[in-house]
């Protein structure tokens, strides 16, 4: 499991590997006279960036030809726009109807740092034709990520993994967190203070000006909701139709978000024990919630003594419970735990089990692949550590909070509260952004979200006072919109807003799809 699985939305993560942009695109930025839409930005020190003319070319041989890519120059430090620049890789899938075209819809898949360059053409994201007729779909890799002047800290696979708090290993955890921070500082220290969500939002506005647009519309998932909210805070007059899918709590960035996930995981675990107990005849995990809970913790203790071999992996008890999202899918979780129990009882013979989404039972990147590419983890820590100045630099505070949360949230509290590299990170270039505005936005949220709990989304809803919130009652998992087998009620509401601009008169509730 990766360190930053906390914030990662894998549903929109393409399995496609993207070749380097065709030769010449990186150098294909030139200057031209500003359009009326960009004239305001062109008046100030960002004028050279507003005047960029983009040259669009094929993104790569294994990407649909309709998706075109270009490279955009932005300041590394917006406080010094005449200084060093970095490259942003962007893509465009043009609106299918010139007559109906309204503008551009920027897409962000989450992270922070999940590559988004090929998102407009990703078959997993099923944006309706009604939306595609009105908008150019714009993908981009966040600064430092993917093909946007990527950073790497040179982290080993172990340094990309998180571990639960234990008294006997805490000193080692502290040293690993310190090592990660020091490696990142040595490899990319000049960039780290400027890898922030505020600067990423400014990058989005440079994209707007370079595309000649007065405003942008936006669809962001998970971390992408925070990025979208920061954009509305910095550029409220340039935000058109914003859709935020599975929102973070902007007041809990980021230490509090992790701890909130432990709270939500405990709530989901309780719900799961009730569901599994009602189906004891099928799964054999216990006839009451208390019996199911005991079965689970007995399995964890057994696996910590002797790992369970299943799906080609040897899982310890800590490995089984490492993913806080497991119990948000009650049926899949029950099948997964029943399969593990059977494998353990069969003397650890190699077993098979349908693992739930985002669990340690899934096939992950090979150890060699993770070691060769630590870009995602490097970028994620860079943003999470630099976005806020609320991280404690006292290891003992992490110890105290981990002990506290291990007691009140046994399933995941010791993972979520353990020390992180942010304890040793250099301060970001700016304070955290306070979200408090009346920009129009439609928020969409599953009731049982694996990474961004419902109570976190409600906090974002309060901060975005011009928003409406659609809750999928009984909805499980992370991410709602435009997914295979998704929720048609939520999809219709988002499409109506994007195509008409009319928000619902009040907050809405959709029922989860059957299945």
């Amino acid at each position: 499991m990766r360190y930053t699985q906390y914030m990662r939305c894998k549903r929109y993560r393409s399995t496609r590997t993207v070749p380097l942009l065709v030769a010449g695109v990186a150098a294909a930025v030139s200057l031209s006279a500003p359009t009326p839409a960009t004239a305001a930005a062109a008046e100030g020190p960002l004028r050279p960036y507003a005047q960029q003319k983009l040259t669009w070319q094929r993104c790569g041989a294994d990407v649909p030809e309709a998706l075109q890519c270009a490279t955009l120059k932005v300041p590394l430090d917006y406080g010094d726009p005449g200084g060093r620049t970095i490259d942003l890789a962007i893509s465009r899938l043009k609106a299918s109807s010139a007559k109906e075209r309204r503008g551009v819809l920027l897409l962000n898949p989450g992270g922070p740092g999940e590559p988004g360059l090929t998102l407009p053409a990703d078959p997993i994201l099923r944006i309706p034709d009604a939306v595609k007729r009105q908008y150019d779909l714009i993908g981009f890799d966040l600064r430092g990520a993917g093909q946007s002047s990527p950073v790497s800290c040179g982290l080993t696979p172990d340094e990309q993994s998180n571990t639960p708090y234990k008294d006997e290993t805490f000193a080692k955890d502290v040293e690993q967190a310190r090592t990660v921070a020091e490696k990142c500082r040595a490899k990319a220290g000049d960039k780290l203070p400027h890898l922030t969500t505020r600067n990423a939002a400014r990058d989005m506005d440079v994209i707007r000006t370079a595309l000649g647009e007065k405003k942008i519309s936006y669809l962001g998932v998970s971390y992408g909701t925070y990025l979208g909210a920061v954009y509305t805070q910095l550029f409220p007059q340039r935000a058109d139709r914003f859709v935020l899918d599975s929102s973070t709590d902007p007041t809990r960035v980021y230490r509090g978000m992790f701890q909130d996930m432990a709270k939500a995981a405990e709530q989901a675990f309780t719900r799961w024990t009730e569901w599994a107990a009602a189906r004891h005849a099928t799964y054999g995990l216990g006839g009451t919630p208390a019996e199911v809970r005991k079965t689970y913790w007995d399995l964890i203790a057994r696996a910590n003594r002797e790992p369970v071999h299943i799906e080609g992996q040897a899982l310890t008890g800590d490995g089984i419970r490492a993913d806080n999202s497991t119990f948000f899918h009650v049926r899949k979780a029950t099948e997964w735990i029943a399969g593990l129990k059977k494998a353990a009882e069969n003397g650890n013979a190699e077993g098979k089990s349908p693992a739930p989404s985002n669990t340690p039972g899934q096939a992950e990147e090979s150890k060699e692949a993770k070691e060769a590419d630590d870009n995602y983890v490097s970028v994620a820590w860079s943003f999470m550590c630099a976005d806020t100045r609320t991280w404690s630099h006292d290891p003992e505070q992490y110890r105290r909070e981990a002990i506290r949360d291990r007691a009140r949230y046994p399933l995941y509290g010791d993972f979520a509260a353990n020390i992180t590299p942010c304890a040793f990170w250099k301060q970001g270039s700016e304070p955290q952004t306070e979200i408090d505005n009346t920009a129009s936005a439609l928020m969409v949220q599953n009731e049982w979200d694996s990474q961004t709990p419902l109570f976190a989304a409600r906090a974002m809803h309060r901060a975005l006072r011009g928003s409406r919130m659609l809750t999928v009652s009984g909805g499980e998992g992370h991410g709602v919109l435009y997914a295979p087998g998704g929720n048609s009620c939520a999809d219709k509401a988002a499409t109506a807003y994007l195509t008409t601009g009319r928000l619902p008169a009040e907050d809405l509730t959709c029922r989860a799809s059957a299945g």
Side-chain angles (χ1 to χ4, degrees):
M1 174 190 173
R2 287 191 166 186
Y3 245 132
T4 43
Q5 192 172 6
Y6 306 109
M7 303 294 295
R8 196 168 196 174
C9 176
K10 291 188 177 180
R11 195 194 60 183
Y12 288 166
R13 189 183 180 210
S14 176
T15 56
R16 179 187 301 122
T17 57
V18 187
L20 292 175
L21 298 181
V22 290
V25 176
V29 178
S30 60
L31 299 182
S32 63
T35 66
T38 65
E43 298 294 331
L46 294 178
R47 178 177 181 179
Y49 303 99
Q51 291 180 319
Q52 292 180 75
K53 181 179 180 181
L54 302 176
T55 299
W56 297 97
Q57 299 189 38
R58 281 289 303 272
C59 296
D62 61 346
V63 179
E65 189 171 358
L67 186 66
Q68 301 289 296
C69 284
T71 299
L72 183 70
K73 297 287 185 184
V74 296
L76 171 63
D77 178 3
Y78 279 88
D80 180 21
R84 183 178 173 187
T85 65
I86 57 174
D87 294 334
L88 286 187
I90 65 173
S91 65
R92 177 181 66 181
L93 185 65
K94 296 187 73 171
S96 58
S97 171
K99 182 178 180 180
E100 296 180 57
R101 184 187 182 278
R102 173 181 176 78
V104 296
L105 178 67
L106 272 65
L107 308 173
N108 183 274
E114 196 70 74
L117 190 63
T118 61
L119 197 53
D122 196 316
I124 297 177
L125 180 57
R126 300 183 178 182
I127 293 180
D129 290 340
V131 176
K132 290 181 176 180
R133 286 196 296 270
Q134 292 193 24
Y135 295 95
D136 294 349
L137 303 184
I138 306 297
F140 62 101
D141 286 344
L142 203 69
R143 55 170 47 210
Q147 297 185 44
S148 292
S149 297
V151 300
S152 169
C153 298
L155 304 178
T156 67
D158 285 345
E159 290 164 348
Q160 297 180 55
S161 300
N162 64 321
T163 57
Y165 171 82
K166 289 184 172 67
D167 297 340
E168 64 271 21
T169 61
F170 184 65
K172 180 180 177 182
D173 296 339
V174 171
E175 286 311 304
Q176 177 165 297
R178 191 193 311 273
T179 297
V180 170
E182 289 175 348
K183 280 190 171 185
C184 289
R185 192 175 303 121
K187 287 269 191 175
D190 56 336
K191 291 183 180 179
L192 296 184
H194 310 295
L195 297 183
T196 66
T197 300
R198 286 176 72 91
N199 282 336
R202 292 170 177 133
D203 292 343
M204 287 170 54
D205 206 55
V206 173
I207 293 173
R208 177 192 65 80
T209 62
L211 294 175
E213 300 291 332
K214 293 181 179 180
K215 293 185 176 184
I216 61 170
S217 293
Y218 179 80
L219 169 60
V221 187
S222 192
Y223 162 80
T225 64
Y226 182 60
L227 174 58
V230 170
Y231 186 89
T232 66
Q233 191 68 35
L234 298 183
F235 307 103
Q237 302 307 314
R238 300 170 192 169
D240 193 10
R241 300 169 184 178
F242 272 50
V243 178
L244 308 181
D245 183 348
S246 308
S247 292
T248 62
D249 181 345
T251 70
R252 301 277 285 167
V253 176
Y254 290 91
R255 173 75 171 166
M257 289 181 182
F258 297 169
Q259 294 169 316
D260 286 348
M261 289 173 192
K263 175 182 177 181
E266 207 66 38
Q267 294 171 345
F269 182 70
T270 297
R271 172 177 177 254
W272 169 74
T273 62
E274 296 167 353
W275 193 93
R279 294 157 181 82
H280 174 59
T282 302
Y283 298 104
L285 296 179
T288 67
E291 290 174 356
V292 173
R293 187 179 294 266
K294 182 177 185 303
T295 297
Y296 176 79
W297 285 109
D298 286 349
L299 173 64
I300 296 303
R302 180 173 185 167
N304 276 332
R305 293 192 302 269
E306 181 181 0
V308 178
H309 292 262
I310 192 166
E311 297 288 327
Q313 294 188 349
L315 295 176
T316 65
D318 288 340
I320 292 169
R321 66 184 182 89
D323 191 338
N324 71 308
S325 70
T326 299
F327 295 100
F328 289 84
H329 299 269
V330 288
R331 181 183 299 277
K332 291 180 180 179
T334 306
E335 293 170 349
W336 168 235
I337 298 304
L340 288 169
K341 179 175 177 286
K342 183 178 180 180
E345 291 173 346
N346 287 344
N348 256 340
E350 188 69 29
K352 291 185 178 181
S353 173
S357 175
N358 292 349
T359 67
Q362 280 189 304
E364 293 199 15
E365 300 98 326
S366 69
K367 189 171 183 178
E368 293 77 11
K370 287 198 289 184
E371 189 166 11
D373 183 10
D374 69 334
N375 175 245
Y376 174 77
V377 174
S378 300
V379 171
W381 280 129
S382 297
F383 273 76
M384 290 192 291
C385 298
D387 264 352
T388 177
R389 297 175 180 177
T390 59
W391 290 101
S392 172
H393 297 290
D394 177 11
E396 288 305 310
Q397 180 171 334
Y398 292 89
R399 183 199 296 273
R400 290 190 297 270
E401 292 181 0
I403 292 172
R404 177 200 66 193
D405 286 2
R406 180 177 60 183
R408 62 182 180 179
Y409 308 131
L411 186 68
Y412 196 68
D414 52 349
F415 277 98
N418 203 5
I419 194 165
T420 78
C422 298
F424 305 102
W425 211 265
K426 185 178 179 180
Q427 184 171 274
S429 57
E430 297 176 275
Q432 179 179 328
T433 305
E434 181 180 351
I435 306 300
D436 181 15
N437 64 63
T438 59
S440 169
L442 177 66
M443 298 177 54
V444 183
Q445 183 75 28
N446 275 328
E447 180 181 6
W448 296 101
D449 191 316
S450 59
Q451 305 295 315
T452 52
L454 178 60
F455 56 81
R458 287 172 173 161
M460 177 72 86
H461 187 26
R462 291 190 295 270
L464 295 174
R465 291 177 283 111
S467 65
R468 293 289 183 271
M469 185 166 169
L470 186 157
T471 304
V472 181
S473 177
E476 296 184 321
H478 190 47
V480 179
L481 295 173
Y482 303 142
N487 187 277
S488 60
C489 171
D491 287 350
K492 288 177 182 177
T495 300
Y497 170 59
L498 287 171
T499 54
T500 69
R502 292 192 294 271
L503 279 173
E506 57 187 16
D507 291 345
L508 302 176
T509 300
C510 290
R511 291 188 178 274
S513 304

